[in-house]
Amino acid sequence: MIDNISWLAIYPEILLLVMTCVIALADLGVSSARRTGTYILTILTLVVLAVLQGVYASSGNTFYGFGNMVVSDPMGNWLKCFASVAMIVTLIYGRPYAADRDMLRGGEFFTLALFSLLGMFVMIGGNNFLLIYLGLELLTLSGYAMVALRRDHTTATEAAMKYFVLGAMASGFLLYGLSMIYGATGSLDIGEVFKAVNSGQIRHQVLVFGVVFVVAGLAFKLGAAPFHMWVPDVYQGAPTAITLMIGGAPKLAAFAIVMRLLVDGLLPLAIDWQQMLGVLAVASLLVGNLAAIAQTNLKRMLAYSTISQMGFVLIGLMSGVVDGNVEAATIQSAYSSAMFYVVTYVLTTLAAFGVILLLAREGFESEEIADMAGLNQRSPLYAGVLAICLFSMAGIPPLVGFYAKLAVLQSLMASGQAAYIGLAVFAVMMSLIGAFYYLRVVKVMYFDAPLTATRVSAPLEVRVVLTINGALVLILGILPGGLMSLCADAIVRSLAT
């Protein structure tokens, strides 16, 4: 008999699954190309989920269900809440774009979006290797289908094929690594794996071999170099609404499974996987910033920007344990700064792609940097929002991106190790190089002559949400304490269990 705690642990997932099926069935008889009813029902479902997860997270309680396969803790609940909000914003920005390109006629758009969110929920709440992998596959399979949603668009179809082939390879890496760890420890339960590894009675070589493949699979999901090859092609080739759906909320789920697998399950092996994350961080910062300079396509430039931003997340994740010593204060500082960075990065990405989606018209994607020429003369508000996002990604104060970078570098410097100090200096230098390609777009928006005199128009809900989105990037940079405290509290309460 299944107890009440088990049902409570997966209540949001059950609600999301039921509503996804209801929306999919309701779509069968709808002929409208814009699917207004389906859109409203989807948004209402996501609002309820976000509020529910926020209430769960605020309670600070942690409980397990279904034989410890599922965990509901503050970190996971806040990440589910943020993922739901990110999906709401994505759908609000993406619906006009999708409707203009006939992507809503078949009814799969909203259903696949909810299935991908369900995959994120399963990943975030998984406390078992098998469950995490199932959630990951649900997310990625939905992603493959969404990228190929424009069936008559050859670029999107090509991007979907690349994403599928490389995604299958990365899933194989992750699954093989998890199977190696299972073979060494004899358990799929993350808590039991931690106990087995911490006992010191398992062959270290077998565990490290498994960890190498796990880290490779996780690096692909984060979009970190040298496992980044899918990011530029998929970001550029996918319809822009789908690009945002792939580059936004899923980053929160990717951070969650890194925490579940490496920190909750394999923390005794931190001295091994931290070195791997360090290499990935250096490669991501170098490749992402240098390659972005050469791009003329804005979506492709933001793809390489994502790679470099993930380098900072990896820096935060690798600085939690110093010389094999696990200290509560160090772990709290490192992992909370990484969580803060991911959340604020998703917030900034939503606003940046929101402007790109807003500028896109039927038959014109507006995704080249040259298409931003004179945007300030056409719409000072939207130019200002995009400029705030680009300055934030570059790490310019007082925007939230500056504080996020500062928090990560402070946690790294706190270790006092010479190698970590050198890494911090390298990260700052790469950020200075990266500022060039962000400022180039700002220069085009404010100082180049506009290509057209057409005023930018958008539905009311898009304008309102985009304005709030851009304002939050500024406000959280000036007053970051609330969100930072939330992340720190969530990390402390989750790791305490």
Side-chain angles (χ1 to χ4, degrees), residues 103-114:
M103 294 168 60
L104 303 182
R105 187 171 297 279
E108 303 94 343
F109 184 80
F110 298 113
T111 305
L112 288 172
L114 291 180

Side-chain angles (χ1 to χ4, degrees), residues 7 10-25 45-46 49 110-111 113-119 121-122 138:
W7 286 118
I10 65 166
Y11 186 78
E13 285 81 357
I14 293 174
L15 175 61
L16 181 54
L17 178 59
V18 170
M19 291 308 300
T20 302
C21 295
V22 168
I23 290 169
L25 292 173
T45 299
L46 294 174
L49 283 168
F110 298 113
T111 305
L114 291 180
F115 270 125
S116 68
L117 183 63
L118 179 60
F121 274 29
V122 174
L138 179 57

Side-chain angles (χ1 to χ4, degrees), residues 276-350:
M276 302 176 203
L277 296 187
V279 173
L280 294 173
V282 170
S284 298
L285 289 167
L286 187 65
V287 172
N289 286 305
L290 294 183
I293 293 174
Q295 306 307 314
T296 58
N297 183 281
L298 184 56
K299 286 166 63 177
R300 197 172 183 88
M301 187 205 82
L302 289 175
Y304 281 108
S305 166
T306 296
I307 296 167
S308 68
Q309 301 290 340
M310 289 303 105
F312 272 94
V313 176
L314 292 171
I315 288 175
L317 289 167
M318 65 170 284
S319 56
V321 180
V322 180
D323 290 332
N325 298 318
V326 180
E327 297 181 5
T330 306
I331 285 181
Q332 174 185 338
S333 172
Y335 300 145
S336 62
S337 67
M339 180 177 172
F340 181 87
Y341 200 103
V342 170
V343 172
T344 54
Y345 165 74
V346 171
L347 176 71
T348 309
T349 297
L350 289 170

Side-chain angles (χ1 to χ4, degrees), residues 371-401:
D371 296 333
M372 300 292 128
L375 179 60
N376 182 56
Q377 299 177 39
R378 297 169 57 201
S379 175
L381 173 63
Y382 304 138
V385 170
L386 184 55
I388 285 174
C389 294
L390 294 172
F391 284 140
S392 179
M393 291 181 184
I396 296 175
L399 302 171
V400 71

